[in-house]
Amino acid sequence: MMDAPEKKIPISSDQNIPEKRISKGSAGVIDQHKQIDSHSRSGGAKPKVLPAPKVEPSKAVAESTRETREISKDVQGQQKVAKADEVEKAKACQLEFGSYCLWSIEHKEVMKDSIVKRLKDQLFVARSYYPSIAKLQGYEALTQEMKQNIQEHERVLSVSTVDADLPSFINKRMEQMERTIARSKSCTVDCKNVDRKLRQILDMTEDEAHFHMKQSAFLYNLGAQTLQKSHHCLNMRLTLEYFKSSSFDSDDSPSGKFSSPKYMHYVILSKNVLAASVVINSTVSSCKDPGNLAFHILTDAQNFYAMKHWFARNSYKNAVIHVLNYEAIILEKLPKDNIQQLYLPEEFRVLIRSIKQPTENTRMEYLSLFSHSHFLIPEIFKYLNKVVLLDDDVVVQRDLSFLWNIDMGDKVNGAVKFCGLKLGQMRNVLGKTAYDPKSCAWMSGVNLINLDKWREHNVTENYLLLMKKFKFKDERSLQAAAIPLSLLSFQHLIYPLDEKLTLAGLGYDYGIDEEVAQRAASLHYNGNMKPWLELGIPDYKKYWRRFLVRGDRFMDECNVNP
C-alpha cells in the first residue's frame, strides 16, 4: 500500500558512464590547477639552487613519524570506507525510492530529539544487559542500580518526545546510566543472550526506519501527483466564470490560422492551466515574430472550460491559441478507440549501472516519452503537415522558429537523443520484438514532428499492432508500456536534434549549473519536482516564474503563488 507510485526501470550497461555535467565550481578548480602547472613548466633562465644539507633523523623521530603515517593511513582508509558506505546507501535509496532521496537530503531538518534518541539507545542497551546481570550472584547492588536507571529513563521518555521536554537534570541521569552500562559490560555474562537482544533491537530499528522511509516516499510522490488546493480553486473559479460570461459558446478565434500550414503550429497536451500558460508565454516571448504562431492545447473534459476561459482572458502578443477537448474529439472522430482518456507524456525513473563497475558508475535519469494520446495527434490534426510538440513542463528561452527550416528527410520525429541508454540495455523491457540494440533512446519535451511522414510510415497503425503484443490489465500497465511502445514505434524514424536544444533534469537534478541553464534553448523539468509544486527545486523555479502571468484576479483570490 505504501509503494511509491513511480515507474522505475533498472538498466545494466557495459559501457563507461560519462559525467553528466561539470559544475561551475569544479571547472574553476580545474582551470586553477592548469594555470599553476603551466607556470611551473614555463621556460626561461632558472637560478641555480644549492642542495640542502642531508640530516639523518634520530631513531625516536623516525619511529614517531612512521607511527604517525600509519595512523594517518588508517584514518584515511576509514574515511574512504565510510564514504563508500554512504554512496552505496544513497544509490540503494534512489533505486527503491527515486528522487525522494535527493529531496530528503536537501530538506533535511535539524534534529530536535537528538538527546531523546540517545536516551532510547541507552535504555535499549541497559535492557539487553539487565536479564543477564540479574542472574549473577553477588551483583545485587548493580542489578538494583540498573533497574532504577531503566525505570527513570522510561519515566522521562514517557513524557518527552523532543529535547525541549526533557528535565534540567537529564545530563546527570545519562552519565549515571553510562557508568552503569560500563560496569555491566565488565561483568562475565552470557554473550549470546546480550547479542540476541541487541540484534532484536537493531532489526526492529531498521524495520521501523524502512517503514517510515516508505511512508515518506509515498507522501512525497502523492504530493508530486496531486493538484494543489490553490490550483484546484483557480480551475473551479475559471470554469464557473466561463459559464457566467457573455462569451459562453462563442469562439472568436481566427479558425483559418489553426488549419493553415503557413503558420508555425505547436501542440501541447496539458491538464494544468498555469503550466500550459508558461509554455506558451515563454515560447511567444522568445520568438521574433509571434504573429506567426498558433498553439493547440489538448486537454481533458474536466479542465476544458477553465483552459478556454483563461486563454480568452489573457493575451500572448499576436499568437492565437486553440483549446480542444481531447476526450470529445476522440469520441466523435475515433469512436473505435476504446481509450478515450487523455494521457500526458509518461516519465520513467531509469537507474543505469555499469556491469564492470556497478558500485561506482551508477546514475539515475528520468526518461520522458510519448503516451497513448500522442499517437492520435495525426488523426486529430489531419489538415497539418508539421508541428512541434511541447511538454507542459518545458520553458522556452530561445526562438524555436529555426525548427521549421530543418529538412528531416524521411524521418518522422525530431528529438534529442539520449545515448546514455541503448535499446540493447532494455532487453527485459522491450520483449521479443525485433529492434536495433545499438539504437539510442530519445526524449520528449521539444519534438519536431513531420505529420506527412508519420502518415506515410503508418506509425499509428504500427503502434496499435504493437499494443496487441503487450497485455494491458489496467491503466497502470498501459502507462508502463509507454517506454517499449514509444521506442519501438519510432525505431529508425528519429531525426537527432542538437542536444543543446533542451536541458533536461530540472525536476530531479540538484547539480545543474546556473550558467548552463541560462544558455539552454529550452529547459525541461522532467522528474517529480515540478516548478509549480512546493516540492520544486527552489533554484530552478525562477526560470519558470519569469513567464508566469501576473496580476490575474482569480490567481490572487485563490492565493496561487508557485
Side-chain angles (χ1 to χ4, degrees):
M1 184 177 179
M2 285 298 178
D3 287 345
E6 199 177 8
K7 300 179 281 291
K8 60 182 181 181
I9 300 174
I11 300 295
S12 296
S13 168
D14 50 5
Q15 298 178 341
N16 291 329
I17 300 177
E19 289 294 328
K20 189 172 184 183
R21 295 175 198 90
I22 299 176
S23 68
K24 184 179 178 182
S26 300
V29 173
I30 292 170
D31 291 342
Q32 186 180 6
H33 283 305
K34 285 181 179 177
Q35 289 174 2
I36 293 171
D37 201 34
S38 62
H39 282 305
S40 64
R41 292 195 187 98
S42 58
K46 297 182 180 179
K48 188 175 181 181
V49 180
L50 296 174
K54 190 175 181 180
V55 180
E56 292 291 338
S58 65
K59 187 176 180 181
V61 171
E63 188 69 22
S64 174
T65 304
R66 185 179 64 80
E67 290 177 358
T68 303
R69 286 175 179 171
E70 288 177 356
I71 292 171
S72 178
K73 286 181 180 178
D74 289 341
V75 171
Q76 289 176 359
Q78 291 172 4
Q79 289 176 344
K80 286 182 179 179
V81 170
K83 190 175 181 180
D85 289 342
E86 288 179 7
V87 171
E88 280 305 304
K89 286 179 181 178
K91 289 176 180 177
C93 180
Q94 287 188 34
L95 176 61
E96 185 171 2
F97 301 116
S99 59
Y100 162 74
C101 304
L102 304 174
W103 180 86
S104 62
I105 292 171
E106 290 293 325
H107 294 80
K108 191 173 183 179
E109 295 183 0
V110 179
M111 287 177 60
K112 298 179 180 179
D113 59 348
S114 57
I115 300 176
V116 170
K117 283 184 166 63
R118 285 174 58 196
L119 283 170
K120 288 180 179 180
D121 290 342
Q122 286 185 333
L123 185 59
F124 288 154
V125 175
R127 283 173 174 171
S128 301
Y129 275 96
Y130 179 74
S132 299
I133 296 296
K135 294 177 183 178
L136 297 178
Q137 297 293 331
Y139 288 90
E140 289 78 9
L142 179 59
T143 302
Q144 184 61 30
E145 181 183 338
M146 180 170 280
K147 182 179 179 181
Q148 185 178 351
N149 285 336
I150 289 173
Q151 290 174 344
E152 288 176 353
H153 268 47
E154 288 175 339
R155 194 180 302 112
V156 169
L157 289 171
S158 67
V159 295
S160 305
T161 55
V162 293
D163 295 348
D165 300 335
L166 296 171
S168 57
F169 55 80
I170 193 61
N171 288 332
K172 194 173 182 180
R173 291 283 187 267
M174 291 176 69
E175 290 173 4
Q176 288 176 358
M177 177 65 93
E178 201 63 47
R179 286 195 295 269
T180 304
I181 291 172
R183 288 174 61 194
S184 301
K185 289 180 178 180
S186 65
C187 299
T188 305
V189 297
D190 184 2
C191 293
K192 290 183 180 179
N193 184 47
V194 175
D195 179 69
R196 186 174 66 254
K197 289 285 184 183
L198 289 174
R199 284 186 183 278
Q200 287 175 355
I201 293 164
L202 178 63
D203 291 340
M204 286 172 58
T205 305
E206 287 181 345
D207 290 343
E208 187 179 357
H210 190 260
F211 169 78
H212 286 300
M213 181 74 83
K214 286 184 71 175
Q215 193 175 46
S216 300
F218 174 80
L219 294 173
Y220 162 83
N221 282 288
L222 189 65
Q225 298 178 21
T226 305
L227 187 67
Q228 294 180 79
K229 185 178 179 180
S230 58
H231 289 222
H232 181 71
C233 168
L234 177 63
N235 278 8
M236 293 299 99
R237 289 302 309 271
L238 288 168
T239 302
L240 181 63
E241 193 67 21
Y242 173 84
F243 286 104
K244 288 169 60 179
S245 66
S246 57
S247 60
F248 175 53
D249 271 347
S250 66
D251 191 356
D252 299 329
S253 301
S255 57
K257 208 169 188 179
F258 295 134
S259 58
S260 174
K262 295 180 181 179
Y263 295 94
M264 292 179 282
H265 295 268
Y266 291 86
V267 177
I268 302 164
L269 279 68
S270 180
K271 301 177 185 179
N272 187 322
V273 172
L274 294 183
S277 175
V278 168
V279 179
I280 293 174
N281 198 24
S282 64
T283 307
V284 167
S285 300
S286 305
C287 183
K288 295 178 181 177
D289 188 11
N292 283 330
L293 303 184
F295 293 90
H296 309 264
I297 304 174
L298 291 172
T299 189
D300 59 354
Q302 181 179 341
N303 296 282
F304 174 64
Y305 299 107
M307 285 271 192
K308 278 187 74 72
H309 195 62
W310 173 270
F311 288 105
R313 285 167 55 84
N314 296 285
S315 61
Y316 297 80
K317 296 189 177 180
N318 296 323
V320 291
I321 298 158
H322 191 200
V323 180
L324 300 104
N325 185 340
Y326 172 86
E327 294 166 5
I329 292 173
I330 299 303
L331 189 63
E332 179 186 349
K333 296 185 177 181
L334 302 168
K336 293 182 180 179
D337 193 328
N338 57 359
I339 305 174
Q340 297 173 359
Q341 181 180 345
L342 173 66
Y343 288 98
L344 302 181
E346 302 290 353
E347 291 188 341
F348 297 86
R349 173 164 54 91
V350 184
L351 193 77
I352 305 172
R353 289 184 290 191
S354 170
I355 294 174
K356 296 178 181 177
Q357 295 176 309
T359 58
E360 295 181 15
N361 291 342
T362 303
R363 75 181 187 275
M364 184 185 71
E365 301 280 357
Y366 275 80
L367 188 67
S368 56
L369 291 165
F370 287 174
S371 68
H372 175 80
S373 300
H374 285 80
F375 287 90
L376 302 180
I377 286 175
E379 297 297 320
I380 297 172
F381 301 102
K382 288 184 177 180
Y383 44 82
L384 297 179
N385 52 29
K386 184 180 286 189
V387 297
V388 168
L389 296 182
L390 295 176
D391 288 0
D392 68 352
D393 55 357
V394 166
V395 170
V396 177
Q397 300 187 125
R398 300 288 183 271
D399 191 352
L400 299 182
S401 301
F402 70 93
L403 291 174
W404 269 263
N405 298 323
I406 295 176
D407 181 9
M408 298 199 298
D410 204 40
K411 304 299 183 183
V412 174
N413 183 358
V416 176
K417 283 195 172 184
F418 178 53
C419 287
L421 183 62
K422 303 288 182 68
L423 298 192
Q425 298 168 238
M426 295 185 286
R427 292 185 292 271
N428 59 327
V429 177
L430 300 178
K432 297 180 181 179
T433 308
Y435 57 86
D436 179 8
K438 295 182 180 179
S439 181
C440 295
W442 52 273
M443 299 270 282
S444 72
V446 179
N447 298 85
L448 176 62
I449 303 296
N450 188 326
L451 294 177
D452 288 338
K453 293 296 180 181
W454 183 306
R455 301 180 186 105
E456 184 181 322
H457 287 285
N458 298 317
V459 174
T460 300
E461 289 76 6
N462 293 335
Y463 164 80
L464 294 174
L465 289 173
L466 281 171
M467 275 186 69
K468 295 179 180 179
K469 295 183 180 180
F470 293 85
K471 297 179 180 179
F472 305 113
K473 298 178 181 178
D474 50 25
E475 179 184 336
R476 193 169 182 179
S477 62
L478 174 63
Q479 291 176 298
I483 189 166
L485 292 175
S486 287
L487 294 177
L488 293 173
S489 296
F490 289 104
Q491 194 176 189
H492 307 303
L493 297 176
I494 297 294
Y495 180 87
L497 297 177
D498 191 336
E499 61 180 12
K500 295 178 182 178
L501 176 66
T502 304
L503 176 62
L506 277 79
Y508 71 93
D509 187 353
Y510 282 89
I512 296 175
D513 186 76
E514 185 175 355
E515 288 186 7
V516 176
Q518 290 174 348
R519 289 197 304 267
S522 62
L523 304 174
H524 193 187
Y525 290 82
N526 57 318
N528 276 344
M529 292 177 264
K530 303 299 184 186
W532 55 83
L533 298 174
E534 291 182 9
L535 297 172
I537 300 175
D539 289 346
Y540 308 151
K541 281 189 174 185
K542 59 186 177 184
Y543 307 116
W544 189 83
R545 285 174 175 161
R546 189 171 56 189
F547 298 103
L548 191 64
V549 173
R550 301 289 181 181
D552 187 89
R553 175 168 60 91
F554 295 142
M555 286 183 65
D556 294 337
E557 289 177 2
C558 292
N559 196 25
V560 178
N561 187 25

